[in-house]
Structure formats: structure tokens, C-alpha cells
Amino acid sequence: MPKVSPHEPSTGPTDADVVVVGNGPIGAALAVLLAQRGRRVTVLERRRRPYTLPRATSFDGETARLLAACGIGPDLGRITEPASGYQWRTASGETLLDIEFRPQGPYGWPDANTMHQPALEELLAARAGLLPGVTVLRGRQAVGIADRGDRVVVTAEDEDGAVQTLSARWVVGCDGANSFVREHLDVPVTDLGFSYEWLLCDVELREPQAFVPTNVQICDPARPTTLVGSGPGHRRWEFMRLPGERAAELNREETAWRLLAPFGVTPDTATLLRSTTYMFQARWAERWRVGRVLLAGDAAHLMPPFAGQGMCSGIRDVVNLSWKLDLVMSGLAEEAVLDTYTEERRAQVQESILASVQLGRVICVTDPAAAAERDATVLANRRGRGPTRPEPAKPLTEGLLYRGGAEEPARPAGEVVPQGTVDGPGGSGPFDEVVGRGFVLLLAAGADAGLGAERLSFLAGLEAFVVRLLPGGQGGAGSDAAADPGVVEVVDVDGVYGAYLARYGASALMVRPDYHVFGAAEGPEGAAALVDDLRARLTAPVPAGAAGHRS
């Protein structure tokens, strides 16, 4: 379980430190992440009861690691099933794309995890219920937001029209595609105009069935079709609406059963939980912060489903935002740090949306001649090639990152650091669980920190971990007593961290709470420079007229 920060909750004249609008998985995760840091969070949710139907069906290994930071890691295996792979196939069954997923990827979790979304939301709700800082108000629709400069006043109505006002230091809109918060902010939205309508069919299987690989995209011009796992006992089929086909005709239960029948899915073998049409979109908000109000998840971006990154992107949003908000509220960082949230996440999301659109342009082909040309080209290019691995997590390319001096070699700033097994004072296991979560200054075996009392005090204020590696095979758990004051020693059991540092010729690595590398350096002077640069970037004053200020 993540440790709860000793920061005292705000005693200012607000009802909450943060009001979160929307209690889907993104809003719920943000509330938990903030409350674990000692923050008072009120969540407004327009639905009176939890939504019981699935939307997202999977998340990747990086997102599993981020969800584990919410304190639900031990239960994730109960509500998920690892996916074995993802294939694209032609109408005749030839393989156009073949990605093989590992049961344990570089971030300490399976490369791909299928899930039944209501089960994930139940885990997050149970975790929130254990944290005294979280208050969830159901049946409340946000109808007004007023930024007063030092706080925000939110007006909410219940189903009977009764009005309630809440004040908070910050407000975050996690209220989905039709976000009231986004509309209130009146921020520009870039829409790529790429959308198709699909029939979505969620089923619960009566008997276990093996699907190899777990996820398949059938690129059939007669009807592009998607088959994906959706957690234990659940599965989803999606069928694209064809040109000239009436949406009303497609969106009928008998149509769903007719399309499912060729896959052996009938009323005798499965329960149809839901069949409904939906239109995916490709768009993002240009500004994710206006004054003390921010956006996250679908309120900030929407993307086609073909790369499976919709919910994953939302979880990345709130993990990125939560630690920055906490530092600002603690007085350890200036408000300008919050502008790096938009800078970092919008760039990543744009890349994901563009990639999803590119995939969709390949998949959503209904012209037989164009499909035949596509198939011939792709098959020729992959002839003789076996399955591939999923790409690593997307790095940050800008924002709160260490750039170092011009004479320094390229460093891994922005990458997501892998997770290996370590043996430390708290036992043996994944690094995140043994050492803890937050800022980490990782030192190579034998490296001298050389930080001095002032820098160590700054890191202590951030509740950062200073960790020195011991090489694998040395035997025995690391010990606080053997290290410098404030430095924990751990055995690098599988050599993951030693290899990572060696790859970049570094002896020190600063990792952010969202597992992105802040920067890497060599020698005691380099380690000191990492700490000094982080402090300078966190405490830089807000420039006049900076983006994100109240307009």
C-alpha cells in the first residue's frame, strides 16, 4: 500500500482542497491519489448509483503500475486477465499484424490486462472509502464554477433541483466527453474529424472459452470487426456500421445476435450485457488549465479505440497532475509547475490520438479493391517476420525534465523507468513496493551521493527516496545502517537498474512520482546538479502572462 503523506490537510477557508467533477475511473483515481497525500477531496458525481456497464476493456503494463500506486495493486489480478496478444487479420484469415504480449513486461506488470470496468471502479471506490479525506457526493450535477483567485466556488444541483455550493483551492473536471467543466472554460478544441459508428456488444460467457490471441481485429471490408477480452468471463465484439446502413437497424438486439452467431456466441452460450452503437472521435482540448480549474481524461481528449489508450491516457493525466497539485498546495512548488501538466500530457495525447487515427484509417476500409491493395502491401512488408513486442511507454519530450549541460551526452530524461525486483530493508519484491512511491534519486553501486545536508533536506521535504544499488548476487537485504545518512541500499536482484544506468553511462538517476525519468548524470557533481535543477524548476516563479493564468 502507498504510504499516506504526513502533510497536514489544508486548514484554509475552503470546504475541500480539491473538488473533482466526475467519479469514473479517472476522477476516482485522482481522488485516491490526492487523499493518499493527505488532501481533502470532494467528488461530485451526477449519477446516483455506480454505472454497471463496461466502457474501457483493458489497460497496458504502465497503467497497471500507475493503478497500483492507488493502493489497489494486490487486487488487480483478481479482476483482470493478461492478454496473450493482438492480431489483425484479413477476411481470409491471413495475419497483417501480430503483437505478442508478455505476462510480465518491463514495468513489472503484464503488457496488456483485460478487465471488466465496473470491477475496477469497485476497487477504486473501496480504496477511497478507506481514506478519510475523500467525500463522494452522488446525484450532484455541477452547474456553475466561479474562480475567485485564491479559491474556486462550485455550484451543484441534485435531481430535485436543490442547490449546493462548495469551495476548493482547485477544481478538476473528470466529467467525460460531454464535460460541463470544459464547456465552462470555453477552451479551444482541436477535432480531427475522424469518426465512424460501431455496434458494441458486451457479453458474459456461460462457459470458459479460450481465445488465442486474446484480441483480434478482422480487417474485412464486408464488415470490419473487433474481438477483445474484457476481464474474467467477459468479452466484447464490435461491428462497424457500413456505408448506407441505417444506425437504427444496426442498433437492435436481434442484429447483435445475428452478427455474434458466426463466432459461436448465441443466447445459449452467453448473456448479452449490452448492445449499443457509439461514434468514436479524435479531438483534444488546447488548454487543460485555466486559473484554478483543470481538465483530465475524456474531458480533455478523445481518441479512436484501436490502440487501447483512452482510459490509459486518463490515468496518466491524473497521476501526472496529482503530485504536482500536492507540491503546489504544500508550498514546495510554484503554480507554474501546473502548466507543465498541459505541456507534457497534451503532447503525449496528441501522439496517441494521431497513432489511433492512423490505425483506424487502415482498419475502417469497406472498399474491396482498396482492402485488397492494403492486404497485399502489408503482407509483402511483413513476409518472414514473426510476432513483435509492444512498444515501450511513450516518453515525455518536454516539460519538467532535466536537460543538463550542452556538453553532456544524451540522457533518458522523459522515459518511463523500468521496474525490477530488489531486496531491501522492507523485504524482497518489486521496487515500487519495497522502496516506496514518490521522487527517487537512484545511485549506482558504489556511487557517492555527495549531496550535503542542504540537498538532502530538500529531498526529505519532497519525501523523496535516496537509494543506492547493490549488485545482484551480493546476498542479503540492503540496510539503512550500511548507507550514508538518508540513503537506503537495495540489492538489484535481476540487474534491471544497473543495466539501465549503464546504458546511459550514468551513476545517478532522478525519477519523478509518475515514474518518468527527470534526468540522469554521472558522478557526485552530476547527482548534485540533478537535485539543484529539480529545485530550481519547482520553485521558478510564475512568469507574467503565462499560459494557464486566469483569462
Side-chain angles (χ1 to χ4, degrees):
M1 288 289 184
K3 67 185 182 64
V4 176
S5 165
H7 291 319
E8 291 297 324
S10 169
T11 56
T14 57
D15 299 310
D17 292 321
V18 180
V19 164
V20 175
V21 182
N23 194 44
I26 309 308
L30 177 59
V32 166
L33 290 164
L34 289 169
Q36 287 177 166
R37 291 171 167 83
R39 300 299 167 192
R40 300 170 302 139
V41 185
T42 298
V43 184
L44 299 176
E45 170 54 49
R46 63 183 180 84
R47 289 189 176 91
R48 187 169 291 279
R49 284 173 288 277
Y51 190 66
T52 58
L53 295 175
R55 285 156 289 179
T57 61
S58 67
F59 51 86
D60 58 25
E62 180 200 3
T63 305
R65 186 182 191 182
L66 299 176
L67 287 168
C70 295
I72 62 174
D75 292 314
L76 281 179
R78 177 172 57 81
I79 67 157
T80 62
E81 285 183 341
S84 61
Y86 180 34
Q87 285 186 357
W88 290 11
R89 296 173 181 167
T90 67
S92 61
E94 293 180 283
T95 301
L96 297 172
L97 175 75
D98 191 3
I99 301 176
E100 189 173 78
F101 296 137
R102 292 158 291 191
Q104 180 163 321
Y107 309 112
W109 294 86
D111 282 332
N113 307 266
T114 69
M115 60 138 188
H116 187 58
Q117 183 175 322
L120 174 63
E121 295 192 31
E122 287 176 7
L123 285 186
L124 289 168
R127 175 61 180 153
L130 298 176
L131 299 169
V134 179
T135 300
V136 179
L137 301 178
R138 289 195 166 274
R140 307 295 205 285
Q141 175 75 49
V143 296
I145 300 173
D147 191 335
R148 305 297 191 197
D150 62 342
R151 60 179 178 163
V152 186
V153 177
V154 180
T155 304
E157 288 184 357
D158 66 15
E159 295 170 344
D160 299 321
V163 174
Q164 180 179 4
T165 60
L166 295 164
S167 61
R169 300 169 70 179
W170 299 90
V171 170
V172 184
C174 301
D175 49 341
N178 300 315
S179 168
F180 164 79
V181 178
R182 186 188 64 245
E183 292 301 316
H184 167 80
L185 296 179
D186 195 27
V187 296
V189 174
T190 295
D191 192 329
L192 300 184
F194 182 77
S195 63
Y196 286 89
E197 192 168 15
W198 288 64
L199 174 68
L200 180 154
C201 301
D202 284 305
V203 305
E204 184 173 6
L205 303 171
R206 300 191 192 281
E207 297 291 339
Q209 297 183 41
F211 295 91
V212 181
T214 307
N215 302 326
V216 175
Q217 181 67 55
I218 302 175
C219 302
D220 184 355
R223 174 89 69 183
T225 301
T226 303
L227 301 71
V228 294
S230 186
H234 295 84
R235 195 156 178 82
R236 173 176 291 177
W237 276 259
E238 299 185 26
F239 305 95
M240 187 176 131
R241 182 164 73 90
L242 302 175
E245 187 173 28
R246 294 175 58 247
E249 178 64 25
L250 185 64
N251 195 16
R252 298 173 59 186
E253 186 171 326
E254 52 265 41
T255 302
W257 284 120
R258 174 173 58 81
L259 294 173
L260 288 167
F263 301 95
V265 180
T266 69
D268 294 330
T269 63
T271 299
L272 185 61
L273 299 177
R274 173 176 59 167
S275 64
T276 185
T277 56
Y278 79 102
M279 186 87 72
F280 65 69
Q281 299 179 67
R283 69 185 193 189
W284 61 81
E286 289 294 341
R287 299 177 67 192
W288 296 16
R289 176 194 170 206
V290 178
R292 290 182 170 268
V293 185
L294 302 105
L295 300 173
D298 285 358
H301 48 78
L302 293 169
M303 67 187 70
F306 305 113
Q309 288 298 303
M311 190 193 79
C312 296
S313 294
I315 295 297
R316 293 187 192 104
D317 292 346
V318 295
V319 173
N320 184 300
L321 180 59
S322 60
W323 62 268
K324 293 176 180 177
L325 270 175
D326 180 59
L327 289 180
V328 169
M329 288 188 285
S330 300
L332 296 172
E334 294 288 340
E335 285 186 22
V337 166
L338 295 176
D339 293 326
T340 68
Y341 163 63
T342 301
E343 183 182 14
E344 294 171 358
R345 290 296 305 131
R346 186 180 59 194
Q348 279 196 320
V349 161
Q350 286 174 346
E351 185 179 349
S352 291
I353 292 174
L354 292 171
S356 296
V357 167
Q358 185 177 12
L359 295 176
R361 293 193 190 281
V362 176
I363 291 168
C364 301
V365 175
T366 55
D367 177 75
E373 183 179 355
R374 171 202 63 198
D375 295 349
T377 300
V378 175
L379 289 170
N381 287 336
R382 75 174 306 270
R383 186 173 291 118
R385 298 182 182 178
T388 61
R389 298 292 192 189
E391 294 183 356
K394 294 185 184 302
L396 298 174
T397 57
E398 50 195 323
L400 188 62
L401 301 174
Y402 176 69
R403 296 302 181 186
E407 73 285 354
E408 293 190 25
R411 300 293 190 188
E415 290 185 358
V416 175
V417 70
Q419 178 172 208
T421 300
V422 297
D423 188 7
S428 183
F431 185 98
D432 299 346
E433 305 297 332
V434 173
V435 173
R437 296 178 170 91
F439 281 100
V440 174
L441 178 61
L442 188 66
L443 304 172
D448 179 13
L451 296 178
E454 185 180 359
R455 292 187 183 95
L456 287 173
S457 176
F458 164 71
L459 292 174
L462 294 180
E463 298 182 2
F465 301 95
V466 182
V467 181
R468 181 183 289 115
L469 298 174
L470 299 176
Q474 181 161 324
S479 168
D480 287 307
D484 298 331
V487 178
V488 175
E489 291 188 339
V490 300
V491 176
D492 187 13
V493 173
D494 44 18
V496 165
Y497 297 101
Y500 191 78
L501 287 167
R503 184 188 312 165
Y504 294 102
S507 63
L509 189 76
M510 180 71 78
V511 182
R512 308 181 343 168
D514 51 14
Y515 308 118
H516 284 281
V517 175
F518 173 73
E522 174 63 23
E525 297 82 3
L530 284 176
V531 176
D532 292 344
D533 191 66
L534 176 61
R535 176 161 48 185
R537 289 175 180 270
L538 291 178
T539 58
V542 181
H549 280 206
R550 293 182 303 279
S551 54

